[in-house]
Amino acid sequence: MNENEWTKSICKLLQNKLGDNIYIDVFRKIPYALEYLEFDENIKGVKTNIQEFETDLLIYEKFENNIKPRVIIESKIQSVTTHDATKLHVTKMLYHI
């Protein structure tokens, strides 16, 4: 079983065990950086660039058309790289989870 198959199997195990308005998804992209490209003198008409990264497993609360991340899991079977560790650190800082 490879890492993606393992992640999908975790999702299936948890899918029906979550509460109301709580959902789980695999390989979902979430924002991790927001760059302000330009805005006028009154800070109106802001143009931005949002950078995203793909999470392996995301548990989130959904209300109306918005989601709030609750748990983000980067699944690993064999090894962890410095890229993985950096991604986890940035996620924790942004989402306070």
Side-chain angles (χ1 to χ4, degrees):
M1 180 180 290
N2 67 32
E3 200 169 275
N4 287 350
E5 293 168 335
W6 187 62
T7 302
K8 289 176 186 176
S9 72
I10 294 169
C11 183
K12 284 181 184 178
L13 286 172
L14 296 175
Q15 209 149 26
N16 296 323
K17 300 188 180 0
L18 303 173
D20 294 339
N21 298 327
I22 305 294
Y23 300 88
I24 189 167
D25 206 354
V26 292
F27 315 122
R28 177 116 182 221
K29 290 186 177 185
I30 61 170
Y32 78 94
L34 173 65
E35 176 184 14
Y36 292 96
L37 300 173
E38 63 181 67
F39 48 87
D40 66 20
E41 292 176 353
N42 297 316
I43 312 179
K44 304 285 184 203
V46 177
K47 292 184 182 177
T48 61
N49 177 36
I50 297 175
Q51 296 177 7
E52 303 172 336
F53 66 80
E54 184 178 274
T55 62
D56 290 340
L57 196 108
L58 173 65
I59 298 174
Y60 59 95
E61 185 176 2
K62 186 174 181 179
F63 45 99
E64 297 177 13
N65 290 329
N66 300 314
I67 70 168
K68 182 172 186 174
R70 294 299 187 178
V71 177
I72 297 170
I73 298 173
E74 288 297 313
S75 57
K76 300 295 165 206
I77 291 180
Q78 296 292 325
S79 64
V80 177
T81 66
T82 55
H83 170 75
D84 299 325
T86 301
K87 201 165 137 180
L88 292 172
H89 178 73
V90 169
T91 300
K92 185 174 180 173
M93 289 184 345
L94 286 173
Y95 293 101
H96 304 284
I97 54 177

